Amino acid sequence: MTDATAHQDEIREARFGFWRRCYAMMVKEFIQLRRDRVSFAMIVMIPVMQLLLFGYAINTTPHNLPAAVLLQEDSDVGRSILKALENTAYFHFVREVHDVKEFDDLLTSGKVLFGVEIPRGFERAVRRGDYPALLVAADATDPVAASSALSSLGVLVQTALSHDLYTGDPAVMPFEIRAHARYNPAASSRLNIVPGLVGTILTMTMLIFTALSVTREVERGTMESLLSMPITPVEVMLGKIVPYVLVGFVQAFLIIGIGVFLFGVPVRGSLTMLALLSTLFITTNLSIGYTFSTIAQNQLQAMQMSIMFFLPSILLSGFMFPFLGMPVWAQYVGEGLPLTHYVRIVRAIMLKGAGLQNLEYDTVALVLLMLLAMAIAVLRFRRTLD
C-alpha cells in the first residue's frame, strides 16, 4: 500500500468513521431493545394508557353524583323538588334516610357527596306562603365535584320548578334553598390537595424502594448467597419490607406535620387511627413493590412497572379528579388501587373527623389488597428459589 493510498484511507476514515460507529451503536441498541420485551412493551403502553385515561376517564365537570335525601315527609312538593334536582344531571339519589344521624354518617363516610333535607311540614309551609328552607349539604372535601353541583341550584331556582311552585307576577320561588358546604366551606384547594399528597408521595417512594430490592440482589450477584441461607420466602419478604415501613411512617409524619403547621390543614379525627391506617397503606404498597421486584428481570424493568402502577394511581384514585365523576369502568379500576382507599381515609380523618366505623369498607379493601400482593410475592419468590 502506497503512502497516497494510506492517506486516502485516513481521510475516508475521518469522514465516514464517525457515522459508521454511530450506526453500529444504533444497531446494537435496537437489538438490545428488541431482546428486552418488557421495556419495549412499557414504551408502547405508557402513552396509550395516558391517552385512554385522560380521554375517557377524566372528567372535571362530573355528573350524576351520589346523593341522599332525608325525607321527613312524603309529599308531592318534596318529590317534585327531588325530581327537579335529578333533572339538573348533577344529583343522583341513591339513598333515602329518615334520621339525621344516618344522614350525617353517609356524608362522613363518603358514600354520598350530597344530602338533601326536606323538613316535616314543608309542603304545608309552602302552601301557606311561609317561605320554608330546604337544606342541601355537600361534602366539599373535593371542591371540584361540589362546586359545579351547588352552582346548579341557582338554575333550579330560576327554571326547574317554574310550572309547579312559582307564584306571583313576577314569579317568586316559595321556598329557600340553603346550600351548606361541609368540611371545607371555603373551598380551599390546600385542604383537598395536602391530605392526598400524603398517599401520593408514599405510593411513589414505597413502590420504588421495594421494586428494586430483589432485582438489586440479582444484579449485584448476592442473590445466590441469599438463597443458600436457611431462610424462608416469607422471612425474606418481611425482612426487606419492615425497614421501609419505618421509613414510610417517618415520611407520613413529616408530610402531615408540614401540612398542619405550614398549610393549616386540620386533623379533626384520631391521630392514632390515622397512624395505624397509614401503616397499613404503607405495607400494602411495599408488598406490591416487592411483587414487581420478583417479576422484573432487572432494575430498569422494576422501575418501569412502578411507573405503570403509579400513573393510574394518580389519575384514578380521586386525588386529582373527582372519583365519582369517572365512568363506572374507571371506578372499578380505581377500587383496585390502594391509593384510592387511602385518599378517602386520610381526607375523612383529617377533614371530617371520621371514625373507624365510617371507614370500614376502605380499611377492609386495603387489608385484602395487602394480603393479595403478599401472596403473589411469596409465590413468585418461591419460583425464584426453585
PDB file of all heavy atoms in Angstrom, residues 40-60:
ATOM      1  N   PHE A  40     -39.756  -2.696  25.970  1.00  0.00           N
ATOM      2  CA  PHE A  40     -40.411  -2.278  24.734  1.00  0.00           C
ATOM      3  C   PHE A  40     -41.922  -2.170  24.923  1.00  0.00           C
ATOM      4  O   PHE A  40     -42.561  -1.228  24.426  1.00  0.00           O
ATOM      5  CB  PHE A  40     -40.094  -3.271  23.614  1.00  0.00           C
ATOM      6  CG  PHE A  40     -40.621  -2.853  22.277  1.00  0.00           C
ATOM      7  CD1 PHE A  40     -39.982  -1.863  21.550  1.00  0.00           C
ATOM      8  CD2 PHE A  40     -41.756  -3.441  21.743  1.00  0.00           C
ATOM      9  CE1 PHE A  40     -40.466  -1.470  20.310  1.00  0.00           C
ATOM     10  CE2 PHE A  40     -42.250  -3.054  20.521  1.00  0.00           C
ATOM     11  CZ  PHE A  40     -41.598  -2.065  19.791  1.00  0.00           C
ATOM     12  N   ALA A  41     -42.508  -3.109  25.656  1.00  0.00           N
ATOM     13  CA  ALA A  41     -43.947  -3.046  25.923  1.00  0.00           C
ATOM     14  C   ALA A  41     -44.298  -1.815  26.750  1.00  0.00           C
ATOM     15  O   ALA A  41     -45.339  -1.182  26.534  1.00  0.00           O
ATOM     16  CB  ALA A  41     -44.399  -4.317  26.651  1.00  0.00           C
ATOM     17  N   MET A  42     -43.446  -1.457  27.714  1.00  0.00           N
ATOM     18  CA  MET A  42     -43.687  -0.261  28.526  1.00  0.00           C
ATOM     19  C   MET A  42     -43.669   1.005  27.665  1.00  0.00           C
ATOM     20  O   MET A  42     -44.467   1.924  27.870  1.00  0.00           O
ATOM     21  CB  MET A  42     -42.621  -0.149  29.626  1.00  0.00           C
ATOM     22  CG  MET A  42     -42.635  -1.281  30.623  1.00  0.00           C
ATOM     23  SD  MET A  42     -44.098  -1.285  31.671  1.00  0.00           S
ATOM     24  CE  MET A  42     -43.750  -2.732  32.687  1.00  0.00           C
ATOM     25  N   ILE A  43     -42.743   1.048  26.702  1.00  0.00           N
ATOM     26  CA  ILE A  43     -42.652   2.213  25.822  1.00  0.00           C
ATOM     27  C   ILE A  43     -43.955   2.404  25.065  1.00  0.00           C
ATOM     28  O   ILE A  43     -44.412   3.531  24.836  1.00  0.00           O
ATOM     29  CB  ILE A  43     -41.464   2.042  24.848  1.00  0.00           C
ATOM     30  CG1 ILE A  43     -40.138   2.086  25.607  1.00  0.00           C
ATOM     31  CG2 ILE A  43     -41.493   3.111  23.756  1.00  0.00           C
ATOM     32  CD1 ILE A  43     -38.944   1.737  24.766  1.00  0.00           C
ATOM     33  N   VAL A  44     -44.592   1.313  24.680  1.00  0.00           N
ATOM     34  CA  VAL A  44     -45.855   1.393  23.947  1.00  0.00           C
ATOM     35  C   VAL A  44     -47.023   1.655  24.890  1.00  0.00           C
ATOM     36  O   VAL A  44     -47.911   2.456  24.596  1.00  0.00           O
ATOM     37  CB  VAL A  44     -46.082   0.094  23.154  1.00  0.00           C
ATOM     38  CG1 VAL A  44     -47.450   0.114  22.469  1.00  0.00           C
ATOM     39  CG2 VAL A  44     -44.973  -0.104  22.125  1.00  0.00           C
ATOM     40  N   MET A  45     -47.032   0.991  26.049  1.00  0.00           N
ATOM     41  CA  MET A  45     -48.204   1.021  26.923  1.00  0.00           C
ATOM     42  C   MET A  45     -48.366   2.346  27.669  1.00  0.00           C
ATOM     43  O   MET A  45     -49.493   2.791  27.893  1.00  0.00           O
ATOM     44  CB  MET A  45     -48.114  -0.118  27.947  1.00  0.00           C
ATOM     45  CG  MET A  45     -48.358  -1.496  27.353  1.00  0.00           C
ATOM     46  SD  MET A  45     -50.003  -1.607  26.608  1.00  0.00           S
ATOM     47  CE  MET A  45     -51.030  -1.371  28.055  1.00  0.00           C
ATOM     48  N   ILE A  46     -47.268   2.979  28.078  1.00  0.00           N
ATOM     49  CA  ILE A  46     -47.389   4.204  28.879  1.00  0.00           C
ATOM     50  C   ILE A  46     -48.117   5.311  28.119  1.00  0.00           C
ATOM     51  O   ILE A  46     -49.075   5.885  28.641  1.00  0.00           O
ATOM     52  CB  ILE A  46     -46.004   4.664  29.371  1.00  0.00           C
ATOM     53  CG1 ILE A  46     -45.516   3.712  30.477  1.00  0.00           C
ATOM     54  CG2 ILE A  46     -46.058   6.095  29.900  1.00  0.00           C
ATOM     55  CD1 ILE A  46     -44.142   4.056  31.015  1.00  0.00           C
ATOM     56  N   PRO A  47     -47.748   5.645  26.871  1.00  0.00           N
ATOM     57  CA  PRO A  47     -48.530   6.682  26.179  1.00  0.00           C
ATOM     58  C   PRO A  47     -49.957   6.261  25.872  1.00  0.00           C
ATOM     59  O   PRO A  47     -50.873   7.093  25.907  1.00  0.00           O
ATOM     60  CB  PRO A  47     -47.721   6.937  24.896  1.00  0.00           C
ATOM     61  CG  PRO A  47     -46.864   5.743  24.727  1.00  0.00           C
ATOM     62  CD  PRO A  47     -46.569   5.242  26.093  1.00  0.00           C
ATOM     63  N   VAL A  48     -50.173   4.973  25.571  1.00  0.00           N
ATOM     64  CA  VAL A  48     -51.543   4.500  25.316  1.00  0.00           C
ATOM     65  C   VAL A  48     -52.388   4.636  26.573  1.00  0.00           C
ATOM     66  O   VAL A  48     -53.540   5.088  26.530  1.00  0.00           O
ATOM     67  CB  VAL A  48     -51.519   3.033  24.823  1.00  0.00           C
ATOM     68  CG1 VAL A  48     -52.933   2.468  24.773  1.00  0.00           C
ATOM     69  CG2 VAL A  48     -50.880   2.952  23.445  1.00  0.00           C
ATOM     70  N   MET A  49     -51.816   4.267  27.710  1.00  0.00           N
ATOM     71  CA  MET A  49     -52.548   4.381  28.967  1.00  0.00           C
ATOM     72  C   MET A  49     -52.870   5.835  29.279  1.00  0.00           C
ATOM     73  O   MET A  49     -53.991   6.156  29.704  1.00  0.00           O
ATOM     74  CB  MET A  49     -51.734   3.759  30.113  1.00  0.00           C
ATOM     75  CG  MET A  49     -52.416   3.844  31.469  1.00  0.00           C
ATOM     76  SD  MET A  49     -51.423   3.167  32.801  1.00  0.00           S
ATOM     77  CE  MET A  49     -51.434   1.435  32.370  1.00  0.00           C
ATOM     78  N   GLN A  50     -51.908   6.710  29.091  1.00  0.00           N
ATOM     79  CA  GLN A  50     -52.152   8.123  29.335  1.00  0.00           C
ATOM     80  C   GLN A  50     -53.287   8.648  28.470  1.00  0.00           C
ATOM     81  O   GLN A  50     -54.176   9.370  28.934  1.00  0.00           O
ATOM     82  CB  GLN A  50     -50.880   8.933  29.071  1.00  0.00           C
ATOM     83  CG  GLN A  50     -49.809   8.756  30.128  1.00  0.00           C
ATOM     84  CD  GLN A  50     -48.554   9.538  29.786  1.00  0.00           C
ATOM     85  OE1 GLN A  50     -48.155   9.610  28.636  1.00  0.00           O
ATOM     86  NE2 GLN A  50     -47.934  10.117  30.785  1.00  0.00           N
ATOM     87  N   LEU A  51     -53.279   8.281  27.201  1.00  0.00           N
ATOM     88  CA  LEU A  51     -54.313   8.747  26.286  1.00  0.00           C
ATOM     89  C   LEU A  51     -55.693   8.236  26.698  1.00  0.00           C
ATOM     90  O   LEU A  51     -56.666   9.001  26.742  1.00  0.00           O
ATOM     91  CB  LEU A  51     -53.981   8.294  24.859  1.00  0.00           C
ATOM     92  CG  LEU A  51     -55.000   8.682  23.784  1.00  0.00           C
ATOM     93  CD1 LEU A  51     -55.122  10.193  23.679  1.00  0.00           C
ATOM     94  CD2 LEU A  51     -54.615   8.079  22.442  1.00  0.00           C
ATOM     95  N   LEU A  52     -55.789   6.942  27.020  1.00  0.00           N
ATOM     96  CA  LEU A  52     -57.082   6.369  27.382  1.00  0.00           C
ATOM     97  C   LEU A  52     -57.607   6.946  28.688  1.00  0.00           C
ATOM     98  O   LEU A  52     -58.797   7.262  28.803  1.00  0.00           O
ATOM     99  CB  LEU A  52     -56.970   4.839  27.485  1.00  0.00           C
ATOM    100  CG  LEU A  52     -56.706   4.095  26.175  1.00  0.00           C
ATOM    101  CD1 LEU A  52     -56.536   2.611  26.432  1.00  0.00           C
ATOM    102  CD2 LEU A  52     -57.845   4.332  25.186  1.00  0.00           C
ATOM    103  N   LEU A  53     -56.717   7.078  29.671  1.00  0.00           N
ATOM    104  CA  LEU A  53     -57.154   7.585  30.969  1.00  0.00           C
ATOM    105  C   LEU A  53     -57.601   9.033  30.876  1.00  0.00           C
ATOM    106  O   LEU A  53     -58.655   9.418  31.399  1.00  0.00           O
ATOM    107  CB  LEU A  53     -56.028   7.444  31.995  1.00  0.00           C
ATOM    108  CG  LEU A  53     -55.677   6.019  32.416  1.00  0.00           C
ATOM    109  CD1 LEU A  53     -54.566   6.035  33.444  1.00  0.00           C
ATOM    110  CD2 LEU A  53     -56.889   5.297  32.984  1.00  0.00           C
ATOM    111  N   PHE A  54     -56.801   9.858  30.197  1.00  0.00           N
ATOM    112  CA  PHE A  54     -57.171  11.264  30.085  1.00  0.00           C
ATOM    113  C   PHE A  54     -58.378  11.448  29.171  1.00  0.00           C
ATOM    114  O   PHE A  54     -59.219  12.313  29.396  1.00  0.00           O
ATOM    115  CB  PHE A  54     -55.991  12.089  29.555  1.00  0.00           C
ATOM    116  CG  PHE A  54     -55.026  12.517  30.616  1.00  0.00           C
ATOM    117  CD1 PHE A  54     -53.763  11.969  30.703  1.00  0.00           C
ATOM    118  CD2 PHE A  54     -55.403  13.472  31.544  1.00  0.00           C
ATOM    119  CE1 PHE A  54     -52.883  12.364  31.682  1.00  0.00           C
ATOM    120  CE2 PHE A  54     -54.528  13.873  32.533  1.00  0.00           C
ATOM    121  CZ  PHE A  54     -53.264  13.317  32.612  1.00  0.00           C
ATOM    122  N   GLY A  55     -58.446  10.628  28.120  1.00  0.00           N
ATOM    123  CA  GLY A  55     -59.511  10.810  27.148  1.00  0.00           C
ATOM    124  C   GLY A  55     -60.874  10.338  27.617  1.00  0.00           C
ATOM    125  O   GLY A  55     -61.883  10.988  27.341  1.00  0.00           O
ATOM    126  N   TYR A  56     -60.907   9.208  28.334  1.00  0.00           N
ATOM    127  CA  TYR A  56     -62.190   8.594  28.677  1.00  0.00           C
ATOM    128  C   TYR A  56     -62.549   8.706  30.158  1.00  0.00           C
ATOM    129  O   TYR A  56     -63.723   8.856  30.498  1.00  0.00           O
ATOM    130  CB  TYR A  56     -62.192   7.112  28.279  1.00  0.00           C
ATOM    131  CG  TYR A  56     -62.243   6.887  26.789  1.00  0.00           C
ATOM    132  CD1 TYR A  56     -61.118   6.464  26.096  1.00  0.00           C
ATOM    133  CD2 TYR A  56     -63.422   7.080  26.081  1.00  0.00           C
ATOM    134  CE1 TYR A  56     -61.159   6.247  24.725  1.00  0.00           C
ATOM    135  CE2 TYR A  56     -63.468   6.873  24.709  1.00  0.00           C
ATOM    136  CZ  TYR A  56     -62.334   6.454  24.036  1.00  0.00           C
ATOM    137  OH  TYR A  56     -62.374   6.248  22.688  1.00  0.00           O
ATOM    138  N   ALA A  57     -61.564   8.617  31.031  1.00  0.00           N
ATOM    139  CA  ALA A  57     -61.872   8.502  32.462  1.00  0.00           C
ATOM    140  C   ALA A  57     -61.932   9.842  33.174  1.00  0.00           C
ATOM    141  O   ALA A  57     -62.672   9.982  34.151  1.00  0.00           O
ATOM    142  CB  ALA A  57     -60.830   7.603  33.150  1.00  0.00           C
ATOM    143  N   ILE A  58     -61.171  10.828  32.721  1.00  0.00           N
ATOM    144  CA  ILE A  58     -61.056  12.077  33.468  1.00  0.00           C
ATOM    145  C   ILE A  58     -62.173  13.034  33.064  1.00  0.00           C
ATOM    146  O   ILE A  58     -62.388  13.297  31.888  1.00  0.00           O
ATOM    147  CB  ILE A  58     -59.683  12.728  33.230  1.00  0.00           C
ATOM    148  CG1 ILE A  58     -58.566  11.728  33.583  1.00  0.00           C
ATOM    149  CG2 ILE A  58     -59.549  13.988  34.045  1.00  0.00           C
ATOM    150  CD1 ILE A  58     -58.680  11.129  34.953  1.00  0.00           C
ATOM    151  N   ASN A  59     -62.851  13.555  34.068  1.00  0.00           N
ATOM    152  CA  ASN A  59     -63.951  14.492  33.833  1.00  0.00           C
ATOM    153  C   ASN A  59     -63.939  15.523  34.951  1.00  0.00           C
ATOM    154  O   ASN A  59     -64.168  15.197  36.117  1.00  0.00           O
ATOM    155  CB  ASN A  59     -65.286  13.739  33.814  1.00  0.00           C
ATOM    156  CG  ASN A  59     -66.457  14.665  33.506  1.00  0.00           C
ATOM    157  OD1 ASN A  59     -66.266  15.828  33.167  1.00  0.00           O
ATOM    158  ND2 ASN A  59     -67.661  14.146  33.632  1.00  0.00           N
ATOM    159  N   THR A  60     -63.654  16.771  34.609  1.00  0.00           N
ATOM    160  CA  THR A  60     -63.572  17.826  35.623  1.00  0.00           C
ATOM    161  C   THR A  60     -64.930  18.454  35.935  1.00  0.00           C
ATOM    162  O   THR A  60     -65.024  19.276  36.838  1.00  0.00           O
ATOM    163  CB  THR A  60     -62.603  18.932  35.169  1.00  0.00           C
ATOM    164  OG1 THR A  60     -63.037  19.441  33.903  1.00  0.00           O
ATOM    165  CG2 THR A  60     -61.185  18.377  35.032  1.00  0.00           C
TER     166      THR A  60
END
